Amino acid sequence: MNGYVVALDQGTTSSRAIVFDAKGVPVTIAQYPFPQIYPKPGWVEHDPMVILETQFRALAEAFEKSELSPTDIAGIGITNQRETTIVWDKNTGKPIYNAIVWQCRRTAPICDKLEAEGVGDYVRDRTGLLIDAYFSGTKIKWILDNVDGAREKAERGELLFGNVDSWLIWNLTGGKAHVSDYSNCSRTMLFDINELKWDKTLCNKLGIPMSMLPTPVPSSMVFGKVAPGITGLEMLAGIPVCGSVGDQAAALIGQGCIEKGQAKNTYGTGCFTLLNTGDQSVRSASGLVTSVAWSIGGKTTYALEGSVFNAGSSIQWLRDEIGLLGTSSECEALATSVPDNGGVYLVSAFTGLGAPHWDMYARGAIVGLTRGSTKAHIARAALEGIAYQVKDLLDAMEQDAGEPLSVLRVDGGASVNNFMMQFQSDILRKPIDRPKMVETTAFGAAFLAGLAAGVWNDVSDIADIRESDRVFTPQMFEGEAKALHEKWHRAVERAAKWEE
């Protein structure tokens, strides 16, 4: 049986392709970076044609390096940077403007106007999101309002919108499939996550013709097949494109968090934390957002999502701005050279604090310094500070969900730090499970495609595929962990509203 699946992992800074075998093992990987475009301060764009070119090149190279036959490939799955917005002419297939990237803040004034008009509660109720420039809806409006002739073309039904998943699927299938899976739809601020359909009221409010929007579809099904005649992909013509999921949800399923109460945290520049809430779309009282995680076989799974703004960036700050470290990897050895933090706490609120604090005016602080404090204490405080922020976020998630967290599965660069993972377990009072296979995001997309293509039979199969590298369990006395966390909150109070 053709037991290989290809994942296209289209990210913010690069396009990757990975061939996985039926055991979930990466066979070959190809990756191409692409340039970021910054037209004005706070604006971020990508060239959609460069996204396409680098992604197709990575796909062709990963397949070629695998030395497999096209008949060995059961299907293609896609995971992508979410919220990044592309509008193109459906007749020519050409974008009418650069992709507006999820990081771009140009539509903040549109969001302020929506808030002032009292739309916030409606948005939260229908979409599970907060009104923010992060999401796609206001980006579409900006393009229609600012590109000559765009609105008129859209109203004539000549323009199509898609996040990156839609753009890739449309091009892979030769323009036959204009679709987006529910997880990506739920990041647009236009999608009713309970009804699983576009919300007419929000589309009208933003002046977005619904003819532009892709058809919402489940995450695992055949959307179409690779069209013949695509340069460089001729050998892959006819292979099903049959999996699609946004990157953070892809990591959730790739980590095997398929049961209610399971969560994953990605330790990157910031932290992205998702909690599986099962078939319930839980609305947050803590400023978290609710999204569709995936939908398979008529069953939709939801997640609560939150983020820590500064995680790995606090280690980079110690290295680059303060000069405490020569390399980021030195941080663990320095931190473990002292028996404790010496009473030092580092609150890395360089760009404010996210959930559950939501204090945009907070600023970074180091508190508890004495004459005996050393750079080792500060390095340890930086690592501990990341773990405290993740605990605060997960405490809020547990409260919102009304159910305890069963396990935290971890990935991302800082998850290799054994000291921090042990401290995370101690403070969280939960097991921390680190996988052997680090390509969890790409594998999430591959798994969904493999389900549709028959490589795997059921969602539960992922439990047999995922292997743990190490599980960290609480070693610290609970009373000590509680006392440390209370002091952390006192440190956060010192950092709060500093700029207000």
Side-chain angles (χ1 to χ4, degrees):
M1 179 182 180
N2 46 0
Y4 294 85
V5 184
V6 185
L8 306 186
D9 183 359
Q10 206 299 303
T12 308
T13 59
S14 71
S15 299
R16 308 165 75 232
I18 304 179
V19 178
F20 289 92
D21 67 17
K23 294 180 180 178
V25 177
V27 176
T28 56
I29 300 175
Q31 179 170 357
Y32 288 96
F34 56 84
Q36 309 295 296
I37 302 167
Y38 305 105
K40 294 183 182 179
W43 291 29
V44 191
E45 297 177 359
H46 295 156
D47 183 336
M49 299 308 292
V50 172
I51 287 176
L52 205 58
E53 187 270 328
T54 53
Q55 188 62 80
F56 282 8
R57 195 165 13 133
L59 171 56
E61 182 180 317
F63 172 70
E64 185 179 347
K65 288 192 328 191
S66 74
E67 298 184 349
L68 295 168
S69 162
T71 56
D72 294 325
I73 307 297
I76 296 171
I78 293 169
T79 185
N80 56 289
Q81 51 167 320
R82 303 173 300 170
E83 301 92 21
T84 294
T85 299
I86 303 171
V87 175
W88 67 96
D89 187 307
K90 77 174 183 182
N91 297 313
T92 67
K94 301 298 183 187
I96 65 165
Y97 190 78
N98 277 339
I100 302 181
V101 179
W102 59 272
Q103 299 158 316
C104 187
R105 304 303 298 173
R106 79 183 67 186
T107 63
I110 300 173
C111 294
D112 291 341
K113 187 170 183 289
L114 290 172
E115 284 285 10
E117 292 171 355
V119 185
D121 286 344
Y122 186 88
V123 168
R124 276 187 290 275
D125 181 55
R126 294 298 195 280
T127 72
L129 306 177
L130 307 169
I131 292 177
D132 197 274
Y134 185 20
F135 305 111
S136 314
T138 58
K139 294 174 166 60
I140 306 170
K141 175 176 170 54
W142 189 94
I143 290 173
L144 295 182
D145 288 346
N146 288 275
V147 175
D148 285 346
R151 184 162 294 284
E152 292 76 15
K153 273 190 162 186
E155 287 169 356
R156 291 197 300 266
E158 296 172 11
L159 297 184
L160 301 177
F161 150 74
N163 293 126
V164 172
D165 64 316
S166 295
W167 174 239
L168 293 177
I169 293 169
W170 193 84
N171 280 283
L172 279 169
T173 61
K176 288 186 177 178
H178 183 220
V179 299
S180 183
D181 95 289
Y182 299 149
S183 77
N184 277 290
C185 291
S186 70
R187 307 298 292 186
T188 60
M189 218 173 75
L190 300 171
F191 189 69
D192 187 318
I193 61 172
N194 292 310
E195 298 292 329
L196 300 177
K197 64 183 183 182
W198 299 113
D199 186 277
K200 289 182 181 178
T201 301
L202 288 171
C203 290
N204 290 338
K205 186 72 179 173
L206 287 167
I208 296 170
M210 295 183 75
S211 60
M212 295 178 68
L213 305 179
T215 300
V217 291
S219 314
S220 180
M221 63 173 286
V222 177
F223 312 124
K225 295 182 177 180
V226 176
I230 299 176
T231 303
L233 302 182
E234 292 89 351
M235 289 281 287
L236 300 177
I239 291 176
V241 183
C242 49
S244 180
V245 64
D247 55 5
Q248 297 306 320
L252 189 68
I253 196 168
Q255 281 276 30
C257 295
I258 56 173
E259 301 292 340
K260 185 177 180 181
Q262 294 179 322
K264 74 91 190 175
N265 185 54
T266 300
Y267 294 85
T269 301
C271 288
F272 285 95
T273 310
L274 272 72
L275 172 69
N276 183 328
T277 62
D279 59 5
Q280 300 297 310
S281 59
V282 175
R283 294 303 187 271
S284 173
S286 311
L288 306 171
V289 298
T290 306
S291 297
V292 175
W294 54 78
S295 185
I296 303 168
K299 182 181 177 184
T300 300
T301 299
Y302 294 89
L304 275 171
E305 179 173 341
S307 58
V308 172
F309 295 157
N310 291 280
S313 56
S314 61
I315 310 305
Q316 293 164 355
W317 177 74
L318 291 181
R319 181 193 66 197
D320 299 338
E321 273 69 48
I322 307 301
L324 246 60
L325 308 169
T327 64
S328 296
S329 59
E330 292 175 15
C331 197
E332 181 175 7
L334 192 58
T336 55
S337 69
V338 289
D340 53 45
N341 65 12
V344 177
Y345 289 79
L346 192 159
V347 184
S348 58
F350 304 126
T351 52
L353 287 167
H357 308 287
W358 288 114
D359 182 356
M360 72 177 80
Y361 297 105
R363 288 298 176 263
I366 303 175
V367 301
L369 293 171
T370 67
R371 184 64 184 81
S373 301
T374 67
K375 65 179 183 179
H377 291 114
I378 294 172
R380 188 175 180 117
L383 294 177
E384 291 180 353
I386 297 168
Y388 287 128
Q389 289 182 83
V390 171
K391 174 175 170 56
D392 289 346
L393 189 56
L394 283 162
D395 283 352
M397 285 186 169
E398 282 190 327
Q399 190 170 347
D400 283 338
E403 301 240 357
L405 170 73
S406 59
V407 64
L408 179 65
R409 293 180 169 167
V410 298
D411 53 48
S415 68
V416 301
N417 187 309
N418 290 330
F419 164 75
M420 192 168 79
M421 294 302 98
Q422 182 58 58
F423 189 78
Q424 186 73 80
S425 179
D426 288 339
I427 290 298
L428 195 58
R429 315 306 299 168
K430 306 284 184 184
I432 305 297
D433 185 341
R434 184 173 64 197
K436 276 186 180 178
M437 201 274 291
V438 297
E439 297 289 356
T440 54
T441 301
F443 182 62
F447 184 73
L448 290 166
L451 279 176
V455 177
W456 298 290
N457 298 316
D458 189 78
V459 179
S460 61
D461 289 349
I462 203 164
D464 299 324
I465 297 168
R466 184 191 183 276
E467 291 185 72
S468 296
D469 167 55
R470 182 171 170 185
V471 177
F472 299 83
T473 56
Q475 303 297 315
M476 186 185 291
F477 288 120
E478 188 169 1
E480 183 183 354
K482 186 176 180 182
L484 287 170
H485 191 228
E486 286 172 355
K487 286 183 180 177
W488 160 257
H489 277 202
R490 286 164 58 190
V492 170
E493 287 171 11
R494 305 301 191 274
K497 304 195 186 305
W498 186 263
E499 289 282 322
E500 195 170 38

